[in-house]
Amino acid sequence: MDEVRLKLLEGQIGLMAIGAVVPRTDGLLPYVVIDDKGQEIGDFSVFLRDLVLSDMSPLTVRSYGNDLLRWWRLLGLLGSGWEQATRAEVEVLVGWMRSAVNPQRRGTGNRGRNSRTGKRPLAGGYAPATINHALSVISSFYSYHSRFGRGPLINPVPEAAGRRRLVHRGRTETAPWANRAPLRQKKSEWLPRSVPDDLFDDLMEALRTNRDRALVSMYVSSGARASELLGVHGDQIDWAGQRVWVVSKGSRLLEPVPVSPESLQYLTMYFHEHGIPRPDELIWRALHGKPRPLTYHAARRMLQRVNAVLGTDWSLHDFRHTTINRMVSDPNLTLPEIMAVSRHRQVSSMAPYLRPRIDEVFQKVQEHMASPRPQPTLTPGYDPDDFSVVFGA
């Protein structure tokens, strides 16, 4: 067993693809975790049900379920039940995630920086934020069961010595600084990945259909997330007000977002070619095969085809970054107004967008170095002849 632990720590053993997180159509839970025999894992379902009762979204339940499934698979390899888990098993999980290959990133870690977009490829392993999220899920799972006397006496996921209390903060307040807990990964600072205007023009020219042009231009003008815009129905378009209504990812409320006249023009041409959707019908539809809504994976595949032609690596979420960066660069828009459009709840989440783009900084530095050296001049109000008499030529 010690040899298995060592190989897991070094990422030499992969977790067996047993069990799954599957949707559930009956009952309270939208997703459940099943074992290798297809049976629902009850201890996980009890915890996930508590999330649902706490008004967590179905996507959050699925995300938590995937982290619990990974933990269950690792404990199966170690021959340990979740009730006997200790910090040693958590250390094995962290070591495995730091060294193993993420199946969703397979083949992405060997390419260099894209010459056109300047973006670095995603690493082949698990990101620090993914590891930290897994630790948070496991910690909350054990904290929940410990309230009912189940599981180990001590939470196997260690906490920081001076863990800060959860206090209410206003939208303009930032979170207080705190030391990282043991096993937590250092978060790297990220920068927005906006599309420059010239490359965006190339992207629009490379799109093949009016549906794709309407979708991309609406992404860039609205700042909506990919799944939010794909969920717009026929009765959620305000043509006169130049806006559409989307279900926000965080609040799950129906909220308006602005769209450009250009995107509405492309949308009109798209409807003219393929029919006007019913009020209760999704407006984005597949153009080939049987009539069906356009899925996130199909929209991403559309963008991947354009990337292959242009030699770029844009993602759907880059369009949201582009929208916010354009608004930040506009002196006529205030920060609260930008937060209202982007639907950010905390001002701290806007900090990455307030940093200057490195390519823009380099361009200004090049202009500075190319400009002539400024000549010294007298302060206004002084007579040059008086200076000549006093200080000489």
Side-chain angles (χ1 to χ4, degrees), residues 188-357:
S188 58
E189 295 185 358
W190 67 273
L191 293 175
R193 306 179 300 272
S194 58
V195 185
D197 291 343
D198 55 340
L199 295 184
F200 180 74
D201 293 338
D202 294 342
L203 189 150
M204 288 295 292
E205 292 179 2
L207 295 172
R208 298 185 295 183
T209 67
N210 286 321
R211 182 208 63 183
D212 298 344
R213 298 184 189 99
L215 182 62
V216 171
S217 59
M218 197 167 287
Y219 270 132
V220 171
S221 59
S222 67
R225 298 173 179 87
S227 58
E228 293 174 346
L229 194 58
L230 291 175
V232 173
H233 290 78
D235 60 350
Q236 294 170 346
I237 306 173
D238 183 356
W239 298 91
Q242 295 185 6
R243 58 183 179 176
V244 297
W245 295 78
V246 300
V247 177
S248 292
K249 175 184 176 182
S251 64
R252 304 197 298 282
L253 297 175
L254 191 63
E255 298 181 284
V257 293
V259 294
S260 65
E262 179 187 30
S263 65
L264 292 177
Q265 291 174 1
Y266 285 127
L267 190 66
T268 302
M269 291 186 285
Y270 161 54
F271 286 172
H272 179 73
E273 295 170 350
H274 300 279
I276 300 175
R278 299 187 307 272
D280 60 342
E281 185 181 5
L282 293 172
I283 65 173
W284 308 109
R285 294 160 289 176
L287 302 181
H288 306 286
K290 63 179 182 180
R292 62 193 186 280
L294 182 70
T295 64
Y296 170 82
H297 297 288
R300 186 176 64 174
R301 182 64 188 132
M302 172 270 295
L303 187 57
Q304 288 174 343
R305 288 193 293 266
V306 176
N307 283 330
V309 174
L310 299 178
T312 54
D313 56 354
W314 303 120
S315 68
L316 293 175
H317 200 65
D318 291 343
F319 298 144
R320 175 172 167 83
H321 292 178
T322 303
T323 308
I324 301 176
N325 269 330
R326 288 181 175 181
M327 291 190 294
V328 168
S329 302
D330 189 341
N332 296 319
L333 290 174
T334 64
L335 186 59
E337 291 169 342
I338 298 173
M339 292 178 63
V341 174
S342 61
R343 288 159 292 128
H344 280 110
R345 303 304 178 188
Q346 296 291 333
V347 70
S348 58
S349 59
M350 296 295 299
Y353 299 99
L354 302 179
R355 300 171 187 163
R357 289 171 53 106

Side-chain angles (χ1 to χ4, degrees), residues 37-57:
K37 299 180 177 62
Q39 300 297 317
E40 180 180 341
I41 302 178
D43 294 324
F44 290 167
S45 294
V46 171
F47 169 65
L48 295 178
R49 190 176 297 112
D50 185 69
L51 295 180
V52 175
L53 295 175
S54 301
D55 199 24
M56 294 292 185
S57 71

Side-chain angles (χ1 to χ4, degrees), residues 16 24 34 51 67 78 102 137 162 174 185 335 356 386 390:
M16 294 180 292
R24 183 175 178 178
I34 60 174
L51 295 180
D67 284 320
L78 296 177
N102 187 342
V137 171
T174 57
Q185 307 299 296
L335 186 59
D386 293 341
V390 177

